[in-house]
């Protein structure tokens, strides 16, 4: 049995990946991202459990219960990245290592995307590599759990 489980959280509008602003986010669907994450997790000998919601409160409720069953959180908070102090507080409260990921390079886009409320409570951020950001983020999180440095 795998002893490390990572919670993967996809925030608002990410269910539309593959159809949504393809020139920005690429044509990979969320289901394909989840499949690739599961394959990477198996290679890394960890488990992943994934969750998507368009509702901020549902994401906060989900995070609240994670400490008992996972060792780290990989999150693409979508637009909540730039708006939600409540999400930041939920992540800080659960006190698990967090890696923030974005498909797009948010630093190179509109000014309002340059600030992240989540980054301050994350171990690190991976952005700009399309669907691969998730896989790089998973690898970085597992590496951090094995050797926090
Ligand atoms: C995103 C970037 C956010 O600014 C945006 O609101 C999203 C997607 C990304 O993965 O690039 O919904 O998180």
């Amino acid at each position: 049995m795998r002893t490390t489980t990572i919670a993967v959280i996809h925030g608002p509008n990410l269910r539309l990946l593959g159809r949504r602003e393809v020139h920005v986010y690429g044509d990979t669907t969320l289901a394909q991202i989840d499949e690739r994450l599961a394959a990477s997790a198996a290679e890394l000998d960890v488990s992943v459990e994934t969750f998507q919601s368009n509702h901020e409160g549902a994401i906060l409720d989900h995070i609240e219960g994670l400490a008992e069953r996972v060792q780290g959180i990989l999150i693409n908070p979508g637009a909540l990245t730039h708006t939600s102090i409540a999400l930041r507080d939920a992540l800080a409260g659960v006190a698990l290592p967090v890696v923030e990921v974005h498909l797009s390079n948010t630093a190179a886009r509109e000014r309002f995307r340059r600030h992240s409320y989540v980054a301050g409570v994350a171990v690190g951020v991976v952005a700009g590599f399309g669907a691969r950001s998730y896989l790089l983020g998973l690898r970085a999180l597992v590496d951090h759990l094995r050797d926090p440095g």
Side-chain angles (χ1 to χ4, degrees):
M1 207 190 93
R2 298 202 160 103
T3 53
T4 299
T5 302
I6 306 296
V8 177
I9 302 175
H10 306 290
N13 299 314
L14 294 168
R15 215 154 41 198
L16 297 175
L17 284 179
R19 283 178 288 150
R20 170 193 183 205
E21 297 180 90
V22 171
H23 58 290
V24 179
Y25 299 118
D27 59 7
T28 308
T29 65
L30 194 62
Q32 287 169 330
I33 289 174
D34 285 342
E35 271 168 32
R36 290 175 199 176
L37 278 170
S40 266
E43 275 173 29
L44 294 165
D45 201 25
V46 300
S47 302
V48 281
E49 54 149 80
T50 62
F51 177 79
Q52 191 278 334
S53 181
N54 288 338
H55 303 279
E56 183 173 0
I59 294 173
L60 303 185
D61 287 346
H62 180 72
I63 290 170
E64 212 174 72
L66 288 179
E68 289 101 58
R69 61 174 197 280
V70 309
Q71 284 66 50
I73 300 175
L74 182 73
I75 184 166
N76 182 349
L80 295 176
T81 308
H82 320 296
T83 62
S84 182
I85 297 170
L87 175 59
R88 177 201 169 99
D89 286 353
L91 291 168
V94 81
L96 290 165
V98 173
V99 169
E100 175 184 339
V101 299
H102 299 282
L103 298 126
S104 64
N105 178 2
T106 47
R109 298 182 62 197
E110 301 95 325
R111 185 172 286 278
F112 63 83
R113 294 187 205 276
R114 292 191 199 152
H115 178 259
S116 166
Y117 282 109
V118 172
V121 295
V123 178
V125 180
V126 180
F129 297 96
R132 232 174 291 142
S133 291
Y134 280 93
L135 306 179
L136 294 167
L138 178 66
R139 217 162 259 279
L141 180 54
V142 171
D143 198 56
H144 171 81
L145 288 169
R146 289 184 179 152
D147 180 11

